[in-house]
Amino acid sequence: MKYLMLLVMLLALVVSGCATTDVAVPDDGKKGKDTVKKSDGRDDVIKVDRDKIREGALSEDQIRAQMASLFKDIRFGYNRYDVPEEEKANLRKIADWLLKNSNVSVLIEGHCDERGTNEYNLALGDQRAQSTKNYLVSLGIPANRLETISFGKEKPLCMEHSEECWSKNRRAHFVSSK
Amino acid sequence: MKEVIEDMKKRIFLRITKRLQAVVPMFAVVAVAAVMILAAGADSASARVYIDINSPGLKRLPIAVVDFAGIAEGTELADIVRSDLDFTGLFAFINKSAYIESAGAPFSPENWRPLGIDAVVKGTAEAAADGTLSIVVSVYDVVESSNILKKKYSSRKDLIRPLAHRIADDIYEALTGQKPYFSSRIAFIGQDGDRKSIYLMDYDGQRAKKIVSRGDITMKPRWSPDSRKLYYSSLRGTRWGIYELDLDAATESKQYSSGATDLVGDITQDGTYMLFSSSGKGSPDIYRLHLGTKILTRITHSDNIEVSPSASPDGKLMVYVSDKSTVPQLYIMNMEGADSRRLTFEGSYNTTPEWSRAGDLIVFTGIVGGRFQVYTIKPNGSELRQLTDTGTNEEPSFSPDGRFITFTSDRDGAKGVYIMTVNGDGQKRISPRNIRAFGPSWSH
């Protein structure tokens, strides 16, 4: 239930913030603060306090905000569950953030598009979540901070019957399970 | 439902049926026996014996079911019995207004021969002061002028449909020597709003009711061989698990949960093992759990996806799905995981296999033109047949006798549960219109 509520909140963030946020988390330890402009060029700036991160004192809201922007869905090919090359940079950023925020655990959800049968899609979603997890583990994240779950095609992000939509649904999705 | 009975099967019928069962393939026996029994002793018998019920030229057994005498429910009972027998495709009916003999009159073959009727079902129905129905049913052989079956039933008045199915079961068994299935049920997943629940309905789509509503997602259920339990995978919180529902006791218990994705596939016909897939060790592999001792045996050891095992009737083999060729295809292996061989080569996505409990056929979902369709194939890989072509059709499951298939279709818009013959004939929706319904599984 907790996951579900988080998921709902994350989805709400994603939906409400669709036009937003290439927010970044600091990737070196020197600066006290990082500022990143939104991609749409507006001037509002999101500030992240590094010291607080180090102390693990990031508020849940902040964690949520950072995760919503950094933890992009990992998208997979049709019927595939190997992490695509073009997603690996994204996963490296996620791994960096997780290394710095060692109090955060993550639930990785595996999802599929509608073009599969229910049972096989649950297995496929399971493997998408697990291969995402395995890649993060290979980057040094302890496995016990990464849970996985498969939803198969049960919880699509996008409801239309088009490749554009299907590609969004073939995903590993991250939820904070702190 | 209580029943007390005297069962009068003719010896000659038993002898013939036994002999036939020994030499004629399963599917053919039904029709042959049905006709033989009543044709025994008649001069023209030889014209009727060699019938293949799978051929369009099947000669149906002409049968009359007279509205039961007595109370008004007698008509309803007879209607349901008629509908059950008609469903099999093995019987021919004439309009009941053509019947000469009234319900209350004694059976006389002379009243039926002119109508070309070979078998007659008659019954009487009474209601006691407390509403209990008492029924006596007789089945007559017109050709031999004899009584094939006489049986008494009693039941609560509100259970008239199961009672009628029970009567039809006995008639069918007496006439064909085959295991009847009019009391069988279909379990399926119904969705109202976001919630997915397990439903049960009679095989004819009547009396659909919700029975389990726990969990965020519940998958297609599977039956125990005695049809008293259901097994299904369900997501509870963030954990998949395999659950057993005892229908008699109305209790649910968790059978297995690895913490990863656990998907029940089948219960072996002897009731000993639950076959399932689990990704508890990384990738989904096939396991079997001894339901008595709870001893767990891992059957496959690969990095591929292996799911959806379904056991052969003798419990020696299973058909399952693997993507070891890079796309999901069906394979057959033995219970120890040895002698695996690929079964399907057509198409790039073959899943949801079920092995007929009656024997030599496997039904599954394939893709053609981007849409799911239901196919059958022999376990040796021959005789691949596409049975559906309208809309998307998937998740097939055999009737207890293997002559019918229930499946999910979206041909009318929202998903519903459909049935058809094993040849793809007579496709029709049976689940209620007001529920999105899928994942059907036919009891044993």
Side-chain angles (χ1 to χ4, degrees):
Chain A
M1 201 57 216
K2 192 177 74 178
Y3 293 128
L4 269 184
M5 288 188 61
L6 277 172
L7 175 65
V8 169
M9 294 170 81
L10 274 178
L11 281 175
L13 275 171
V14 169
V15 170
S16 65
C18 259
T20 65
T21 59
D22 278 342
V23 183
V25 176
D27 52 8
D28 66 48
K30 291 169 191 164
K31 288 182 276 180
K33 290 180 178 178
D34 270 53
T35 59
V36 178
K37 287 193 175 183
K38 287 195 171 187
S39 58
D40 61 6
R42 281 184 288 147
D43 279 337
D44 39 346
V45 161
I46 293 177
K47 299 183 169 83
V48 176
D49 188 325
R50 264 216 78 73
D51 296 323
K52 281 193 174 175
I53 295 172
R54 229 180 253 116
E55 292 158 19
L58 221 54
S59 74
E60 283 208 13
D61 284 347
Q62 285 170 307
I63 288 174
R64 233 174 264 132
Q66 291 187 7
M67 289 185 71
S69 57
L70 177 66
F71 283 59
K72 304 276 192 216
D73 285 354
I74 304 301
R75 292 190 187 174
F76 292 83
Y78 171 64
N79 234 345
R80 301 291 293 267
Y81 48 89
D82 50 319
V83 174
E85 282 304 320
E86 62 269 25
E87 295 285 8
K88 288 182 177 171
N90 193 6
L91 280 173
R92 281 192 289 271
K93 281 188 213 159
I94 288 169
D96 286 346
W97 190 90
L98 285 171
L99 285 169
K100 287 166 196 151
N101 294 275
S102 58
N103 58 331
V104 176
S105 292
V106 171
L107 176 68
I108 306 171
E109 304 173 351
H111 296 269
C112 305
D113 69 29
E114 62 183 353
R115 293 173 302 162
T117 44
N118 281 326
E119 231 163 72
Y120 190 81
N121 267 356
L122 273 182
L124 185 61
D126 176 278
Q127 289 302 279
R128 284 176 180 161
Q130 295 220 29
S131 64
T132 303
K133 171 181 174 174
N134 291 344
Y135 193 75
L136 291 173
V137 169
S138 76
L139 296 173
I141 311 300
N144 62 13
R145 288 173 57 200
L146 304 167
E147 279 188 278
T148 61
I149 188 169
S150 177
F151 287 112
K153 62 174 175 182
E154 303 285 340
K155 296 181 185 294
L157 195 61
C158 188
M159 303 302 286
E160 284 154 40
H161 311 293
S162 65
E163 174 51 35
E164 191 189 345
C165 224
W166 292 329
S167 70
K168 289 179 187 163
N169 289 336
R170 294 191 300 264
R171 68 200 195 278
H173 179 72
F174 299 93
V175 182
S176 161
S177 63
K178 184 181 170 184
Chain B
M1 181 187 344
K2 275 189 297 178
E3 57 172 69
V4 192
I5 318 336
E6 75 195 52
D7 210 342
M8 300 172 12
K9 285 179 189 165
K10 300 186 65 182
R11 276 191 198 141
I12 182 163
F13 148 62
L14 286 172
R15 258 201 328 268
I16 291 169
T17 309
K18 268 185 191 158
R19 206 161 61 222
L20 283 168
Q21 280 173 333
V23 294
V24 184
M26 163 88 188
F27 286 165
V29 170
V30 180
V32 174
V35 177
M36 272 298 288
I37 301 149
L38 295 140
D43 292 338
S44 59
S46 60
R48 289 178 182 161
V49 174
Y50 302 102
I51 293 173
D52 175 5
I53 63 163
N54 293 316
S55 85
L58 162 72
K59 177 97 169 73
R60 296 167 179 234
L61 177 73
I63 192 169
V65 179
V66 183
D67 289 344
F68 296 175
I71 52 176
E73 284 81 1
T75 303
E76 188 182 351
L77 283 163
D79 283 343
I80 299 166
V81 169
R82 229 176 268 125
S83 165
D84 282 346
L85 296 176
D86 192 32
F87 173 81
T88 65
L90 302 176
F91 299 92
F93 291 88
I94 60 170
N95 193 313
K96 66 184 182 185
S97 63
Y99 297 171
I100 298 162
E101 190 172 287
S102 70
F107 167 76
S108 167
E110 301 309 323
N111 291 329
W112 300 103
R113 285 197 185 109
L115 301 174
I117 299 294
D118 286 351
V120 176
V121 176
K122 300 188 77 171
T124 57
E126 292 172 9
D130 64 358
T132 305
L133 298 178
S134 295
I135 316 290
V136 179
V137 175
S138 295
V139 181
Y140 300 98
D141 174 344
V142 175
V143 179
E144 286 228 326
S145 307
S146 60
N147 190 333
I148 301 168
L149 174 78
K150 183 169 185 181
K151 204 161 178 178
K152 287 182 192 168
Y153 304 82
S154 75
S155 165
R156 272 166 41 203
K157 211 170 188 171
D158 57 329
L159 295 176
I160 196 162
R161 293 200 70 90
L163 169 63
H165 291 315
R166 204 45 225 282
I167 293 169
D169 277 344
D170 289 333
I171 296 167
Y172 180 81
E173 191 168 10
L175 292 175
T176 69
Q178 297 297 310
K179 186 187 167 210
Y181 52 86
F182 305 121
S183 298
S184 67
R185 290 181 290 175
I186 293 172
F188 62 97
I189 304 298
Q191 186 173 359
D192 40 12
D194 256 358
R195 200 155 194 80
K196 295 183 171 74
S197 307
I198 297 180
Y199 284 71
L200 267 186
M201 62 185 171
D202 291 349
Y203 88 100
D204 56 8
Q206 299 290 319
R207 300 197 309 140
K209 62 170 187 257
K210 191 188 295 185
I211 56 166
V212 180
S213 201
R214 288 182 200 156
D216 297 321
I217 304 171
T218 299
M219 303 294 288
K220 168 173 169 156
R222 266 73 168 186
W223 290 89
S224 64
D226 63 6
S227 296
R228 294 187 147 163
K229 290 171 181 166
L230 284 172
Y231 295 82
Y232 43 90
S233 299
S234 185
L235 180 65
R236 307 281 164 93
T238 57
R239 285 272 181 276
W240 282 98
I242 298 173
Y243 294 83
E244 174 195 274
L245 179 72
D246 184 322
L247 292 166
D248 295 337
T251 54
E252 185 191 67
S253 58
K254 184 154 70 177
Q255 294 296 305
Y256 188 78
S257 180
S258 70
T261 308
D262 307 314
L263 300 168
V264 64
D266 200 5
I267 310 296
T268 53
Q269 287 278 50
D270 60 5
T272 305
Y273 294 107
M274 177 175 84
L275 303 179
F276 65 101
S277 68
S278 171
S279 56
K281 304 267 189 219
S283 75
D285 277 305
I286 310 278
Y287 292 75
R288 65 166 193 260
L289 178 72
H290 192 294
L291 288 168
T293 64
K294 303 295 179 194
I295 291 173
L296 182 68
T297 307
R298 185 174 174 186
I299 299 177
T300 62
H301 303 73
S302 84
D303 294 333
N304 307 304
I305 291 176
E306 263 99 33
V307 289
S308 307
S310 175
S312 61
D314 63 8
K316 290 179 177 161
L317 303 173
M318 71 179 86
V319 58
Y320 66 103
V321 177
S322 171
D323 74 335
K324 59 184 128 185
S325 75
T326 72
V327 294
Q329 296 287 355
L330 305 189
Y331 294 77
I332 289 176
M333 65 183 173
N334 69 24
M335 278 293 153
E336 309 308 319
D339 300 333
S340 181
R341 64 183 163 86
R342 184 166 163 181
L343 179 66
T344 52
F345 292 89
E346 300 279 325
S348 59
Y349 195 103
N350 295 310
T351 60
T352 78
E354 188 185 286
W355 204 312
S356 170
R357 294 176 283 252
D360 202 26
L361 204 61
I362 287 162
V363 69
F364 65 97
T365 307
I367 280 187
V368 59
R371 286 177 181 275
F372 292 127
Q373 300 299 347
V374 175
Y375 291 79
T376 54
I377 192 168
K378 295 273 188 187
N380 66 7
S382 70
E383 297 184 40
L384 177 70
R385 295 182 69 182
Q386 182 182 339
L387 302 182
T388 58
D389 57 16
T390 307
T392 284
N393 303 281
E394 55 187 314
E395 303 179 309
S397 172
F398 279 111
S399 64
D401 67 348
R403 293 185 59 235
F404 295 89
I405 293 166
T406 182
F407 59 101
T408 305
S409 180
D410 69 352
R411 65 186 65 185
D412 295 330
K415 282 186 174 179
V417 173
Y418 286 64
I419 52 171
M420 62 183 166
T421 71
V422 73
N423 298 318
D425 296 330
Q427 301 186 13
K428 65 174 182 185
R429 182 186 178 117
I430 56 166
S431 64
R433 294 268 167 196
N434 59 338
I435 317 168
R436 199 170 162 264
F438 45 92
S441 185
W442 207 318
S443 69
H444 293 237

